[in-house]
Amino acid sequence: MKPTRNLTALYYRLSRDDELQGESNSIATQRMMLRRYAEQNHFNIVDEYADDGYSGTNFERPSFKRMISDIENGKINCVITKDLSRLGRNYLLTGQYIELFFPAHNVRYIAVDNGVDSENQQSSEFTPFLNIINEWYARDISKKVKRALYTRNENGAHYGAYAPLGYIKDPDKKGHLLIDAETRWIVEKIFGLAVQGRGAASITRILTEEKVPTPGWLNYQRYGTFANHFADAPPEKAHAWTIAIVKEILKSETYIGNSVHNRQTNISFKDKRKVRKSESDWWRVENTHEAIISKEDFQTVQGMIASRRRKQKDGTTQIFSGLVKCADCGWSLAYGVNRQNKNPYGYYRCSKYGQGLRQCSMHYIRYDVLYAYVLSRLQYWFNEAQQNESQLLQRLLKSSDSERSSARKKAASELKKAQKRQAEIDALFARMYEDRMAGKITEHNFSMLSDKYQTEQETLAQTIDSLQQQLAQGTQESADAEKWIALIKQYTAPTELTAELLNALIEKILVHEASKDENGNRVQKVEIFYRFIGKID
């Protein structure tokens, strides 16, 4: 009888990929097999270690690390696995344990199915090759999983653990989202505040003060998730919004009906740490579910986020930052302070000119001059909105309307002509077909005329579609004007400018180069483009 081998560890591992192979690799199967092997060969089992759901390329497994610790403490001097892949699928690290760590700690290693036993030199000669094969297998599985994910994401499916705020998972269609009637108002409130010019910090404060429930709290209430955060938490935890959550919602294309995937990936199939991918590598599928927010409002908010006010070194915030542009080159105007006088003052100048390349002119304007002009225009339009809203609507529609009106009349005339010609060609085709059937024209002439008229039909169809869109723009202009009036009426008569006010009402401010009039006075043109309606001053 062979002597009993003491201090033996049985190690089992199963990953999600291994589960696809069926019962042969299950933890229960591995345990039954290794216990029988240990009993038949008189090994004394000290402990068993099982990692269920862990990849072989990852050696940060809890039971594996516990086993290594027991080896280092002298509790284990023999390790048995079903095969080499159970120990690991990373060629280098698996080899380090088998060829360096185990021998250094006088540990015998046995992989039953592979016939590997470290006490048998001949059986161990093929171990490195088997480890390479196991790594190839892991690499191949990783590629297949990525391809499967790509195919699934190409269809815009959502397979996250939870549906985003404002949505629920469709019970009848896996991967599809439905609008949640109970929570969509929260998303609409967040974007509504953002369109008004509120920043993420301001929105967070409002949501918290009004005790709006957070996405995490809603999931806890519905599904019992995040119990470790909410089970014994104080009541205010239910509406403890953070700026990060608000920013994530404001930037998510989910709310305009798009599905965006592949925003992050693992470093490699061996290293599961996440890295963020470039936006150009994202997988974006449009219109995969019903939108909560209009694309127009979403783009407005993205523009506001991009031009959010930044603080200067002295702690002050330049409320015009990101809004003031050079009328000639389109670059932003940079803010500066003139400290040479007894009374320092701020000013703006073209940043392209300021780079020293002199590729543009200075476009210099004092901060206080710009401030006074913009404030006066906003005060004017606010008073107009309060006094006679309907009259203001008509003014907005007529502002710079001569060109638009002329263009619309021309488009309507061209549309009428195109539609008339389209009807004529339809009639011509009918007559041509009758003539061909009656033998009045040859097959050659019929084919030649058909090609000619088909080409003209395609051109006319494109022209009619373009003209119809152009005419429909008039309806959109009316809706935009109404939206801007409603927006400006939300503010009380402004006595000062704030970043929030400017960001809500103004899209950009163009500053032209100053000139001198016939009397030597400095004259400068400043154009304000308001959100939704453009230039109306």
Side-chain angles (χ1 to χ4, degrees):
M1 177 181 273
K2 294 181 180 179
T4 300
R5 181 70 177 182
N6 294 318
L7 310 179
T8 298
L10 304 183
Y11 179 73
Y12 324 115
R13 183 190 64 78
L14 184 72
S15 72
R16 294 184 180 89
D17 295 331
D18 294 319
E19 290 174 356
L20 300 176
Q21 306 303 316
E23 287 296 320
S24 62
N25 279 327
S26 71
I27 294 294
T29 300
Q30 293 177 53
R31 181 179 285 112
M32 179 177 64
M33 174 186 175
L34 295 190
R35 282 180 177 177
R36 183 169 62 247
Y37 178 87
E39 180 182 352
Q40 291 174 349
N41 292 276
H42 310 290
F43 286 97
N44 180 29
I45 301 173
V46 174
D47 204 347
E48 298 180 19
Y49 306 82
D51 285 313
D52 196 352
Y54 287 86
S55 169
T57 61
N58 171 26
F59 281 81
E60 294 298 311
R61 313 171 215 146
S63 291
F64 181 83
K65 292 172 70 176
R66 183 170 65 87
M67 181 180 74
I68 295 301
S69 177
D70 288 346
I71 290 174
E72 292 174 336
N73 292 328
K75 296 180 181 180
I76 302 296
N77 61 15
C78 180
V79 174
I80 303 177
T81 63
K82 177 179 178 294
D83 54 50
L84 285 167
S85 69
R86 297 310 95 201
L87 189 68
R89 290 190 184 277
N90 183 310
Y91 163 66
L92 292 176
L93 291 178
T94 304
Q96 286 180 9
Y97 280 106
I98 294 176
E99 299 180 23
L100 298 176
F101 181 84
F102 288 164
H105 291 81
N106 297 314
V107 172
R108 180 183 181 184
Y109 173 65
I110 298 172
V112 178
D113 281 357
N114 299 127
V116 172
D117 185 341
S118 60
E119 285 194 348
N120 183 337
Q121 183 64 34
Q122 186 175 0
S123 71
S124 300
E125 288 178 353
F126 293 97
T127 299
F129 300 102
L130 293 172
N131 285 333
I132 291 175
I133 292 172
N134 287 328
E135 180 171 312
W136 282 347
Y137 174 84
R139 190 190 302 272
D140 184 58
I141 287 293
S142 177
K143 290 179 180 179
K144 289 177 179 177
V145 168
K146 285 184 177 180
R147 282 197 296 268
L149 284 173
Y150 181 80
T151 301
R152 185 180 71 182
N153 292 336
E154 263 191 324
N155 297 321
H158 176 87
Y159 288 95
Y162 316 102
L165 178 66
Y167 289 96
I168 56 174
K169 292 185 176 183
D170 189 339
D172 300 321
K173 184 179 179 182
K174 188 174 182 181
H176 186 243
L177 295 176
L178 298 174
I179 290 181
D180 181 6
E182 296 181 10
T183 61
R184 70 176 294 169
W185 68 271
I186 303 176
V187 176
E188 291 171 336
K189 182 180 184 68
I190 291 171
F191 276 90
L193 290 168
V195 168
Q196 294 174 24
R198 300 277 187 174
S202 177
I203 295 173
T204 302
R205 183 175 63 254
I206 291 172
L207 296 175
T208 303
E209 290 174 351
E210 296 184 2
K211 297 185 178 180
V212 176
T214 65
W217 172 258
L218 289 168
N219 280 328
Y220 170 66
Q221 291 290 89
R222 290 178 171 182
Y223 315 115
T225 53
F226 307 113
N228 56 323
H229 293 290
F230 296 108
D232 300 316
E236 56 268 23
K237 183 74 173 177
H239 42 82
W241 286 82
T242 65
I243 294 176
I245 294 175
V246 172
K247 284 184 175 180
E248 183 179 355
I249 291 173
L250 290 175
K251 293 181 179 180
S252 176
E253 292 187 35
T254 298
Y255 297 111
I256 56 173
N258 295 348
S259 294
V260 182
H261 306 281
N262 200 42
R263 288 182 291 187
Q264 61 180 12
T265 186
N266 298 330
I267 292 178
S268 72
F269 78 100
K270 297 181 184 180
D271 191 335
K272 302 303 180 183
R273 288 177 296 171
K274 299 291 185 182
V275 291
R276 188 169 181 82
K277 303 195 75 170
S278 169
E279 188 171 346
S280 60
D281 294 326
W282 293 1
W283 300 335
R284 178 180 285 99
V285 187
E286 297 184 353
N287 304 319
T288 58
H289 53 271
E290 187 178 354
I292 295 178
I293 304 300
S294 71
K295 291 183 179 180
E296 181 183 49
D297 284 348
F298 184 81
Q299 291 303 324
T300 297
V301 171
Q302 303 318 300
M304 291 178 173
I305 292 173
S307 62
R308 184 61 57 195
R309 311 302 73 123
R310 295 186 295 272
K311 287 190 174 181
Q312 303 296 312
K313 293 179 180 179
D314 60 3
T316 62
T317 302
Q318 296 311 318
I319 58 175
F320 290 109
S321 178
L323 289 179
V324 189
K325 308 287 185 180
C326 174
D328 292 317
C329 72
W331 282 40
S332 295
L333 265 60
Y335 179 78
V337 178
N338 187 330
R339 305 183 187 280
Q340 296 179 354
N341 297 340
K342 292 182 179 180
N343 297 317
Y345 59 87
Y347 64 89
Y348 285 102
R349 59 174 171 77
C350 178
S351 55
K352 192 172 186 179
Y353 170 85
Q355 288 186 337
L357 302 176
R358 298 297 187 267
Q359 293 179 346
C360 190
S361 56
M362 195 169 190
H363 292 75
Y364 175 93
I365 187 171
R366 282 180 55 141
Y367 174 87
D368 53 357
V369 172
L370 179 65
Y371 186 102
Y373 174 68
V374 174
L375 177 59
S376 68
R377 298 316 300 156
L378 290 181
Q379 289 173 333
Y380 171 80
W381 289 116
F382 174 82
N383 291 333
E384 291 294 304
Q386 296 297 322
Q387 292 173 9
N388 194 330
E389 181 177 337
S390 61
Q391 184 178 351
L392 174 60
L393 177 60
Q394 294 304 315
R395 285 188 59 189
L396 294 180
L397 293 176
K398 289 180 180 179
S399 63
S400 64
D401 196 45
S402 58
E403 292 183 5
R404 286 204 300 259
S405 178
S406 176
R408 280 197 294 271
K409 289 179 180 179
K410 183 180 179 181
S413 176
E414 290 179 355
L415 177 62
K416 188 176 180 179
K417 290 180 181 178
Q419 290 173 332
K420 181 181 178 181
R421 179 57 180 166
Q422 189 179 52
E424 289 175 351
I425 292 178
D426 290 341
L428 280 171
F429 263 118
R431 288 197 299 270
M432 282 170 51
Y433 181 76
E434 292 174 358
D435 290 345
R436 178 70 189 96
M437 292 297 99
K440 293 181 179 180
I441 61 173
T442 65
E443 179 67 32
H444 172 75
N445 289 339
F446 178 80
S447 177
M448 180 181 65
L449 290 171
S450 293
D451 291 343
K452 173 187 174 183
Y453 288 134
Q454 281 179 347
T455 301
E456 187 177 357
Q457 272 187 327
E458 292 173 359
T459 303
L460 283 170
Q462 294 175 359
T463 301
I464 290 171
D465 181 62
S466 175
L467 291 170
Q468 287 175 336
Q469 291 182 17
Q470 185 177 340
L471 291 171
Q473 185 64 30
T475 303
Q476 182 61 45
E477 289 168 0
S478 178
D480 288 343
E482 292 175 355
K483 185 182 293 186
W484 190 79
I485 291 174
L487 186 60
I488 197 171
K489 287 180 68 178
Q490 293 179 10
Y491 294 89
T492 57
T495 58
E496 63 178 0
L497 298 180
T498 64
E500 177 187 322
L501 179 66
L502 292 171
N503 221 22
L505 299 177
I506 295 176
E507 180 181 336
K508 62 181 177 180
I509 301 170
L510 296 186
V511 176
H512 291 254
E513 184 61 271
S515 61
K516 294 290 182 74
D517 62 13
E518 61 275 10
N519 298 319
N521 298 317
R522 191 176 189 272
V523 180
Q524 189 165 25
K525 182 179 179 181
V526 175
E527 297 177 286
I528 301 176
F529 289 77
Y530 299 93
R531 293 201 178 276
F532 310 119
I533 56 176
K535 186 176 68 170
I536 56 176
D537 288 314

